[in-house]
Amino acid sequence: MNKPIPPHFPKLAAQLNTPIAVGGKTIPNRLWLAPMAGLSHSAFRQVLAHYGSCGLAFTEMCNAKAVPSENPRISPVFRWHEWELPSLVCQLAGSSPEELVIAAKRVEREGFFGVDINMGCSARGMIKREGGAALLKTPDKAMAVVEAVRKAVSIPVFVKFRTGWSKDIGPAVALAKKLEAAGTDCLVFHPRVAPDKRTRPPVIDNIRFIKEAVSIPVFGNGNVTTPQHCQNMLDTTGCDGVSIGRMAIARPWLFAQWTAGYTPDDNIFQDYILRLATALEQEFDPVRRIKRFRMFIPYFAANFLFGHSLLATFSTAKTMDDVRQLAKKHIRPDMPLNQSPNMNLYNL
């Protein structure tokens, strides 16, 4: 198989494998899974755990209003395995201190490592409800939300946020200081403006301004697709670690590859898609499992030189048995890979 990136990165591995303390708890490494709606669900995390070496994982976005009454046995979002909890953070989306406090207390009772407050989602429905990136427009309200959650729980409190609603980094720097003062234990910063739907590259250097503004850990996020990108983010911004989003969906073994010298074998891509099909089958009903698969497949297909053709092939799947048959027929060891994902697919 054409291996587009070498298997060992000593300098990067040394940096990423340095433990870090967040809110009085120690995390073994500095390469984390980012929260992604419809993607960082329990089925994917099950497969991610098989490959190993992810320092901390985040759930997909959970509605703070729904969490207090959710049943994890049937909820498609507020769902986990007990073995995950020591290294799993629950991301909450909400707009008021009251609703986020009640949800955060439930998260703490369930035994999660920590709670993450979403201040980055700019989907129309989220903005209409004044949650997610809408909180960036009202820094005092964002600060009040964090203060209330911090007082309510003893577990680490994370905030993931974007640059804001303009390119000016100044408001984001000021907000970072407010969030630290309010009791945030760790910031995960995605350096894009809120309305940007990944049509422009993130301004990676802006992470440096956030890191320099606060004393708490700051993790960078945004278009890290190779170990060189990861090393560059660490070196140029001084951030404490890196949060990996869509590339983790494309190649979940990258955590082990970048931190532990793991070398994928020739059948890794077929192995991955077969494992995910089984996990989706175990975690979701037939309608949801195929919907989750269709959200996943563009990122998987983006690995390959002829990814558009592969995406079209797998779009015909109606069941996980269809997925398995297609994987066994069409995912071969000799398929040419892209150095970095095909952004035409990656940004779907």
Side-chain angles (χ1 to χ4, degrees):
M1 184 178 81
N2 174 25
K3 295 183 177 65
I5 50 179
H8 298 289
F9 316 96
K11 179 185 174 184
L12 179 62
Q15 285 181 263
L16 295 176
N17 284 322
T18 304
I20 186 168
V22 175
K25 291 186 176 184
T26 301
I27 302 162
N29 79 39
R30 300 175 182 227
L31 193 62
W32 300 351
L33 173 70
M36 292 170 283
L39 292 168
S40 60
H41 46 65
S42 56
F44 172 75
R45 298 194 310 267
Q46 184 176 330
V47 177
L48 176 67
H50 166 77
Y51 297 113
S53 298
C54 176
L56 198 65
F58 288 65
T59 68
E60 58 180 316
M61 183 172 59
C62 299
N63 185 328
K65 284 186 176 180
V67 161
S69 59
E70 285 271 46
N71 182 344
R73 291 189 296 274
I74 59 175
S75 172
V77 177
F78 192 61
R79 185 182 186 92
W80 62 89
H81 294 272
E82 288 296 319
W83 51 262
E84 294 186 88
L85 290 172
S87 59
L88 183 62
V89 176
C90 182
Q91 187 184 70
L92 298 176
S95 60
S96 75
E98 294 77 17
E99 66 188 19
L100 280 158
V101 160
I102 297 171
K105 287 181 176 179
R106 169 84 189 271
V107 168
E108 182 172 44
R109 286 198 304 273
E110 295 290 356
F112 282 84
F113 178 95
V115 59
D116 178 50
I117 301 172
N118 182 316
M119 295 189 189
C121 178
S122 58
R124 184 177 302 175
M126 179 63 65
I127 301 305
K128 187 176 181 179
R129 295 193 298 271
E130 301 182 349
L135 288 168
L136 303 179
K137 297 180 179 180
T138 54
D140 289 341
K141 184 177 179 182
M143 188 176 180
V145 161
V146 173
E147 284 180 336
V149 171
R150 174 69 288 156
K151 289 176 182 176
V153 300
S154 60
I155 56 177
V157 175
F158 299 76
V159 174
K160 185 177 180 185
F161 71 119
R162 288 189 178 217
T163 303
W165 290 83
S166 74
K167 294 179 181 179
D168 181 9
I169 191 60
V173 169
L175 178 62
K177 293 177 179 178
K178 285 178 178 287
L179 294 174
E180 179 180 27
T184 304
D185 294 300
C186 180
L187 296 171
V188 180
F189 182 60
H190 183 77
R192 277 190 172 99
V193 295
D196 185 357
K197 305 298 184 184
R198 301 194 293 261
T199 55
R200 302 179 187 86
V203 184
I204 298 300
D205 194 53
N206 279 347
I207 299 170
R208 176 170 56 88
F209 295 108
I210 303 300
K211 174 58 187 171
E212 291 174 351
V214 298
S215 60
I216 56 176
V218 172
F219 273 60
N221 170 250
N223 279 25
V224 174
T225 62
T226 68
Q228 291 78 18
H229 289 159
C230 188
Q231 188 71 69
N232 180 66
M233 182 177 282
L234 290 167
D235 290 347
T236 62
T237 72
C239 66
D240 297 283
V242 177
S243 173
I244 303 289
R246 292 166 293 157
M247 193 61 193
I249 305 301
R251 301 183 189 181
W253 52 88
L254 69 81
F255 296 89
Q257 192 175 34
W258 299 1
T259 67
Y262 172 73
T263 302
D265 65 28
D266 289 351
N267 293 310
I268 189 68
F269 287 101
Q270 187 184 97
D271 173 79
Y272 173 28
I273 203 166
L274 292 175
R275 286 183 184 277
L276 184 63
T278 297
L280 286 168
E281 213 165 41
Q282 292 170 349
E283 295 294 313
F284 299 113
D285 63 61
V287 173
R288 284 197 174 96
R289 69 182 65 143
I290 199 65
K291 285 183 177 179
R292 295 296 191 276
F293 178 78
R294 287 172 179 160
M295 293 182 72
F296 147 84
I297 195 61
Y299 304 108
F300 180 84
N303 283 300
F304 301 98
L305 199 59
F306 304 105
H308 283 90
S309 174
L310 197 66
L311 179 61
T313 296
F314 277 95
S315 69
T316 64
K318 301 292 192 298
T319 67
M320 292 303 103
D321 281 340
D322 292 344
V323 170
R324 293 186 186 96
Q325 290 174 14
L326 290 168
K328 291 173 182 177
K329 182 177 180 180
H330 294 282
I331 306 300
R332 303 179 306 276
D334 60 349
M335 294 171 70
L337 297 172
N338 290 312
Q339 178 73 20
S340 285
N342 180 338
M343 289 295 169
N344 291 326
L345 288 170
Y346 208 56
N347 290 333
L348 286 177

